[in-house]
Amino acid sequence: MVKMEKLVCAQNMMRFMLRCMAMMLLSLALYSCAGSRKHAATKEMGKSHHAQEQAMRKAIVRHAEQFIGVPYKYGGNSPKEGFDCSGYVKYVFADFNIQVPRVTREYAHFGKRIRLSEVQQGDLILFSLYDDKNTIGHIGIVSRIEGGKIMFLHAASGKNSRKVMESELAGIHLSRMLFIVNVLDK
């Protein structure tokens, strides 16, 4: 009788241990699935955020292109009166509820600086003055990147331009480039 009780007790103990192990395995499986669903959802949200950001970048550039040909005016803030470079950038971004500085020197500590190899549509390129390579004096909005060429929109103050126009980041512009900032993904 004692032997039989010991056998039943051992069997019960074995069933209990098997149930515990089954519960642990089930919990582990459910936790793993929840984790992968969460990871997949996070990944999808990341894709969605990236797609939204890209759409925003394109919209900003399309909006900025509407002002090509508007005359340059020092201190100008609108298409009606004309633009200077930072007035143009501020006006364009304000239509998307993105607050950027009004004067170029304030970009020294604004936005997220990025490398030229990371540049995207809608990023801002800051340039030096002609006579002082260390002072920020001009700004433009990256409009296109095609075949290694980076194009940007800006309110140019040069003698032969004096209007909002698109230029290539090459030659004098490239030599005056100080840095690029991303203001959409701070």
Side-chain angles (χ1 to χ4, degrees):
M1 179 94 165
V2 173
K3 267 186 168 180
M4 187 64 121
E5 285 177 3
K6 284 183 179 178
L7 185 60
V8 169
C9 187
Q11 286 175 338
N12 286 341
M13 184 62 122
M14 186 64 94
R15 279 189 209 116
F16 176 76
M17 288 175 60
L18 285 172
R19 273 191 221 127
C20 286
M21 285 177 59
M23 292 297 281
M24 284 183 2
L25 288 172
L26 182 61
S27 295
L28 186 60
L30 289 174
Y31 178 77
S32 305
C33 290
S36 60
R37 274 194 306 262
K38 183 178 178 186
H39 177 70
T42 302
K43 196 172 178 181
E44 277 305 309
M45 284 174 50
K47 283 183 187 176
S48 175
H49 174 72
H50 179 73
Q52 287 175 346
E53 182 182 314
Q54 294 309 309
M56 171 78 86
R57 288 174 177 280
K58 287 179 183 176
I60 287 168
V61 169
R62 275 194 310 274
H63 182 59
E65 288 172 334
Q66 293 178 41
F67 306 109
I68 291 175
V70 170
Y72 176 86
K73 180 179 185 225
Y74 181 78
N77 292 301
S78 73
K80 198 174 202 175
E81 66 178 306
F83 288 115
D84 68 8
C85 63
S86 57
Y88 170 61
V89 170
K90 184 157 183 70
Y91 185 88
V92 168
F93 278 82
D95 280 353
F96 293 87
N97 294 318
I98 300 169
Q99 298 304 311
V100 297
R102 172 58 184 92
V103 294
T104 55
R105 71 178 167 271
E106 292 176 4
Y107 283 89
H109 303 290
F110 185 82
K112 177 184 171 191
R113 287 194 187 191
I114 59 171
R115 294 186 297 261
L116 188 57
S117 61
E118 300 171 315
V119 71
Q120 298 181 65
Q121 257 187 335
D123 287 336
L124 301 177
I125 305 174
L126 284 297
F127 301 91
S128 69
L129 295 169
Y130 283 103
D131 57 350
D132 181 354
K133 300 290 184 189
N134 297 315
T135 301
I136 301 169
H138 191 59
I139 189 169
I141 303 167
V142 175
S143 54
R144 293 182 289 135
I145 303 155
E146 296 173 349
K149 286 184 179 180
I150 298 171
M151 305 298 289
F152 66 99
L153 297 161
H154 60 126
S157 62
K159 277 192 283 186
N160 299 326
S161 49
R162 299 200 58 77
K163 64 184 173 193
V164 173
M165 60 189 290
E166 186 176 52
S167 298
E168 182 180 351
L169 183 61
I172 189 73
H173 294 300
L174 185 58
S175 70
R176 289 180 51 215
M177 185 187 84
L178 292 173
F179 56 91
I180 301 169
V181 293
N182 175 342
V183 297
L184 297 175
D185 185 31
K186 294 181 205 176

